[in-house]
Amino acid sequence: MTSPLDPATASHGPDAASASATPLSRVTVLGTGVLGAQIAFQAAYTGSDVVAYDIGDEQIAVARARFDGLAATYLTPQGLPGATEESTREALRRVAFSTDLAEAVADADLVVEAVPESLELKRDLYARLAPLLPERTVLATNSSTLLPSDLVDVTGRPEKFLALHFANLIWVNNTAEVMGTPATSPDVFRSVVEFARGMGMVPIELKKEQPGYVLNSLLVPLLNAASALLVKGVADPETVDTTWRIGTGAPFGPFQIMDVVGLRTVHAVSVAGGPEGRAFAEMIQRDYLDRGATGRESGEGFYSYPAPSAE
């Protein structure tokens, strides 16, 4: 099955000519996976000096290809309106790469953590990070499932820590959910809101902590319902997606959305679910991940795509 993904129109902020108008101009992104790369590239595109950190040379090599792919994508009809070869080349020039954690954060105004959704992994990273950060540095997690309160005690800077959650295909689905803990400084919260706005995002300000934030609080029940229909043998992914698109006018169905999110992330979230969630995770592992089908980024998931994407 093949289905083109033509992203829906969103409300876009400034283009590359509008550099971030906040003090948070030096940004380090920890993790160069699909979304980490998007965050780093969009920050660079809108004027920030960016360090993209990952754990090894192999990951950095993949990241460089992702950044080149993003630069190319921004110039396509599905990319960012107003993007030019000059503006994307300039964005690439603003990105440095590092496998040295201390070096990567040494001069950061803002560090955005975008590592896999594992509480143990994130807490270990923050414990190692705490003594390395400059006093001024604001620290944000891009976690989509964990609350910042799950992590705050190991950050060493509770007043400068919060969540900054982006949606995949960041240049089109340009929301940035900002969620603090009771310890987060209001001034830090506002500075991150303005940073997100300067990135071309629409800041979504949460007044209190909520698992799943706003976006996933709405989205996850849909995806769970779709996966249950598949696990029970009620309908196949294409039927579910067609029904949803026709019935609601939405541009994507739930299985198309899962391909965009990435099946590794869907698997990780499903493993932590109930019996149906675990059955769905087993299906994803057996039928997709074990043969390298990770969703849109690999060119194959529930659907097949014309060519692997670098986003």
Side-chain angles (χ1 to χ4, degrees):
M1 295 180 291
T2 301
S3 175
L5 286 179
D6 297 320
T9 301
S11 172
H12 288 281
D15 60 21
S18 303
S20 300
T22 77
L24 306 178
S25 61
R26 295 181 178 274
V27 180
T28 297
V29 178
L30 305 179
T32 59
V34 173
L35 194 50
Q38 292 178 20
I39 295 166
F41 186 78
Q42 180 69 13
Y45 186 85
T46 50
S48 295
D49 294 320
V50 175
V51 177
Y53 165 84
D54 219 312
I55 58 175
D57 293 338
E58 181 179 350
Q59 289 81 0
I60 293 297
V62 173
R64 289 181 185 276
R66 280 203 173 105
F67 279 75
D68 289 341
L70 286 164
T73 298
Y74 273 39
L75 301 176
T76 68
Q78 292 77 37
L80 185 65
T84 65
E85 290 189 10
E86 181 181 358
S87 65
T88 55
R89 281 198 304 269
E90 180 60 28
L92 290 172
R93 284 195 291 269
R94 290 197 184 102
V95 180
F97 296 88
S98 179
T99 58
D100 183 316
L101 186 60
E103 175 187 80
V105 303
D107 197 29
D109 299 316
L110 172 66
V111 172
V112 180
E113 170 267 305
V115 304
E117 290 290 271
S118 162
L119 178 61
E120 182 180 352
L121 176 65
K122 290 179 188 286
R123 287 180 63 86
D124 176 71
L125 174 62
Y126 288 148
R128 291 187 290 118
L129 194 60
L132 304 177
L133 293 175
E135 192 279 331
R136 73 178 189 279
T137 304
V138 174
L139 178 59
T141 179
N142 181 59
S143 174
S144 58
T145 59
L146 299 171
L147 294 176
S149 286
D150 296 331
L151 302 162
V152 66
D153 62 301
V154 289
T155 65
R157 57 191 59 231
E159 75 288 351
K160 294 186 176 73
F161 175 66
L162 75 178
L164 176 60
H165 177 245
F166 297 89
N168 203 1
L169 305 185
I170 186 174
W171 64 94
V172 174
N173 303 320
N174 61 321
T175 58
E177 297 178 284
V178 185
M179 182 170 72
T181 75
T184 304
S185 160
D187 289 341
V188 167
F189 188 96
R190 294 310 312 168
S191 71
V192 173
V193 167
E194 291 310 312
F195 169 78
R197 200 186 313 278
M199 269 185 75
M201 302 294 103
V202 177
I204 309 299
E205 301 181 42
L206 278 73
K207 301 181 184 301
K208 62 186 295 186
E209 287 185 284
Q210 162 68 27
Y213 306 69
V214 174
L215 177 59
N216 284 334
S217 291
L218 299 170
L219 179 61
V220 169
L222 168 66
L223 303 187
N224 286 344
S227 65
L229 290 170
L230 179 61
V231 167
K232 292 176 180 178
V234 175
D236 59 32
E238 192 169 40
T239 299
V240 172
D241 285 352
T242 299
T243 303
W244 183 257
R245 292 196 308 269
I246 293 174
T248 66
F252 304 148
F255 289 100
Q256 289 175 294
I257 293 171
M258 290 185 216
D259 273 355
V260 171
V261 169
L263 298 190
R264 284 173 295 203
T265 297
V266 173
H267 176 271
V269 173
S270 299
V271 164
E276 285 181 354
R278 290 191 291 274
F280 184 53
E282 291 173 6
M283 180 184 295
I284 292 174
Q285 185 69 53
R286 180 186 67 244
D287 296 343
Y288 299 95
L289 297 182
D290 283 349
R291 57 185 180 84
T294 62
R296 187 175 186 260
E297 67 163 328
S298 71
E300 186 176 2
F302 291 105
Y303 297 86
S304 296
Y305 304 93
S309 169
E311 288 98 72

